[in-house]
Amino acid sequence: MNKRLIALALSAAMIASLTGCQSGSGGSSAAGSAAPSAAAESSGTGSAAASGEIKIGVVLPLTGSVAAFGQSGQKGLQLLEEQVNSSGGIGGQNVKFIFSDDEGKPATAVTVGQKLINSDKVVAIVGPLTSNCCLSLAPICQQYKVPMATGTGTNEAVTQVGDFIFRTCFIDPFQGQVVAKLASTDLKAKTAAMLYDNGNDYSKGLAKNFQKSFEAAGGKVVGSETYLTGDKDFNAQLTNIAAKNPDVMFLPDYYSTVAVIAKQARSAGIRATFLGGDGWDSADLFSIGGDAVDGAYFSNHYSPDDTADEVVQFIKEFKAKYSNEVPDAMAALNYDAGKVLIQSIQKAGSTDAAAIQGALKAYDGTVVSGHIKFNESRDAVKSAVIIKTDGGKETFYTKVEP
């Protein structure tokens, strides 16, 4: 194609993109509804309409201590892949998610991410799921200029790595602020204690931001204890906290660790109300923690009790695919990250990395976990929900806007 025809095609593509349907339309419509532009179809390398599948890498912990999170995220993305391809894919091409297991380990996230980029030639990556793994893989994606969209990496440093790194969830400062406000306003707490993983950026970040917001609201943190990743015995730290008799106790870690701490805390005589972050969201919290985790509160991104159209439709289709299973937040958040990425590829009309990056920056749509726009740091600005644990299950408590 000569230069004149290419220029005409590009102009047609720009007009198509300006009149496209992304803005405000990311809700229940199938993500595969928009076709790539004429320019993309004719531009050869980097075109979303080139021959073959459009391969998108996914990095999740499918084994290891937070495997339940990764497996939920995988289910959400497998549902999305099925929906997109049954609706015609992207410009007639099927989307293929290539799943890789990072085991929840930063070093493994780098290894599998490099394979996805260099061997599988993926056009973008969804994930990783944990902040530690995000922080290890993000520099690799930035180096190769492969767009990365995590649906769950809440540590604020993740997107500071570079301009090809995006997140579709809220960040820890907002999450810490939300939980601290709950403690001081709704629970009337005057004193708090914290027990967190000093080797985990997610856990440390949440503790730092909770303390800052709680003390700004007039509360006092009377005890702050730490442990290291993989520890199983917390009795020494809990003995110190029990002596402080706090009103609330903040446990910013993942469900598998929190459940163990909660049981040991109750045995140590601690009667404080337990508080936490989105890492608590798993049915295994109750199977491991039993009634020790009842009466607690934690911040989250989504609740299946939400009556928004996008939530109702997602739950309906998820239950139909997975034998009536109700999706948790990890399923919804990874589904959302994948959907935002796919809609951005559609909007870009190309699998060129810079084109996808540009479309992501301009994204403005509603997905399961709420309305998403990115700020100048490529972090999603969105609401949070508070979940209360009651009788061995999660119940919706309230929603908090940013």
Side-chain angles (χ1 to χ4, degrees):
M1 179 176 286
N2 62 39
K3 293 182 178 179
R4 179 178 175 79
L5 289 175
I6 291 173
L8 288 171
L10 288 170
S11 297
M14 292 177 64
I15 293 170
S17 67
L18 289 171
T19 57
C21 61
Q22 177 179 304
S23 181
S25 64
S28 59
S29 62
S33 59
S37 68
E41 291 182 343
S42 61
S43 62
T45 302
S47 169
S51 61
E53 300 167 315
I54 296 177
K55 294 188 287 188
I56 298 174
V58 181
V59 180
L60 298 171
L62 301 175
T63 60
S65 62
V66 290
F69 282 171
Q71 291 162 8
S72 287
Q74 185 178 37
K75 286 182 177 178
L77 287 164
Q78 287 172 331
L79 171 63
L80 176 63
E81 181 182 88
E82 185 176 289
Q83 291 172 337
V84 171
N85 292 336
S86 65
S87 298
I90 300 179
Q93 283 186 279
N94 280 347
V95 169
K96 181 177 178 59
F97 286 124
I98 301 178
F99 292 93
S100 293
D101 178 14
D102 67 14
E103 305 172 313
K105 299 175 181 176
T108 307
V110 170
T111 300
V112 300
Q114 288 176 324
K115 178 182 179 299
L116 288 170
I117 293 169
N118 296 317
S119 299
D120 297 311
K121 307 296 183 185
V122 299
V123 302
I125 287 179
V126 176
L129 188 145
T130 64
S131 291
N132 272 1
C133 290
C134 286
L135 288 167
S136 67
L137 180 57
I140 306 300
C141 291
Q142 183 66 30
Q143 176 188 348
Y144 286 97
K145 298 190 183 307
V146 172
M148 172 183 134
T150 174
T152 50
T154 52
N155 186 279
E156 59 189 310
V158 169
T159 52
Q160 294 170 7
V161 171
D163 59 0
F164 276 82
I165 312 303
F166 295 78
R167 96 176 87 220
T168 56
C169 55
F170 50 64
I171 59 177
D172 286 342
F174 177 59
Q175 190 169 198
Q177 177 185 342
V178 165
V179 178
K181 183 178 179 182
L182 169 82
S184 59
T185 303
D186 291 45
L187 304 181
K188 311 297 183 189
K190 302 298 183 186
T191 59
M194 305 190 301
L195 178 57
Y196 60 94
D197 184 347
N198 202 34
N200 183 300
D201 292 313
Y202 163 77
S203 190
K204 287 192 295 184
L206 272 180
K208 171 186 169 185
N209 287 294
F210 171 82
Q211 181 170 7
K212 179 180 178 181
S213 297
F214 186 67
E215 292 180 342
K220 183 178 181 180
V221 175
V222 296
S224 181
E225 301 283 339
T226 64
Y227 52 88
L228 295 177
T229 305
D231 284 357
K232 302 295 184 186
D233 184 351
F234 308 95
N235 283 299
Q237 298 95 323
L238 292 170
T239 298
N240 293 336
I241 289 174
K244 305 292 184 181
N245 192 29
D247 296 327
V248 295
M249 184 171 169
F250 189 50
L251 303 172
D253 207 333
Y254 303 119
Y255 63 92
S256 53
T257 302
V258 166
V260 173
I261 292 174
K263 292 180 75 171
Q264 293 183 16
R266 293 305 186 216
S267 295
I270 294 174
R271 293 292 170 258
T273 300
F274 296 141
L275 306 175
D278 56 332
W280 284 33
D281 183 39
S282 171
D284 287 349
L285 177 73
F286 302 102
S287 63
I288 300 170
D291 58 8
V293 296
D294 264 352
Y297 299 82
F298 65 94
S299 56
N300 209 353
H301 309 258
Y302 140 97
S303 168
D305 296 332
D306 195 332
T307 56
D309 291 345
E310 292 79 8
V311 176
V312 172
Q313 186 66 24
F314 172 66
I315 292 175
K316 177 183 176 182
E317 297 186 14
F318 192 96
K319 291 174 73 172
K321 180 173 175 60
Y322 297 113
S323 305
N324 216 35
E325 178 181 340
V326 177
D328 60 17
M330 293 299 153
L333 291 173
N334 283 280
Y335 176 93
D336 284 353
K339 190 165 186 174
V340 168
L341 192 50
I342 285 173
Q343 290 180 327
S344 296
I345 295 172
Q346 291 174 315
K347 181 74 173 178
S350 170
T351 53
D352 175 77
I356 297 173
Q357 177 201 38
L360 280 167
K361 286 181 177 178
Y363 187 86
D364 184 353
T366 301
V367 287
V368 176
S369 59
H371 187 84
I372 289 180
K373 287 184 69 173
F374 293 104
N375 62 17
E376 65 279 3
S377 300
R378 300 167 305 287
D379 297 323
V381 179
K382 60 194 296 191
S383 59
V385 299
I386 297 292
I387 302 293
K388 182 178 182 180
T389 58
D390 184 22
K393 62 181 182 180
E394 299 178 4
T395 59
F396 175 78
Y397 182 70
T398 189
K399 180 178 281 189
V400 182
E401 297 298 330

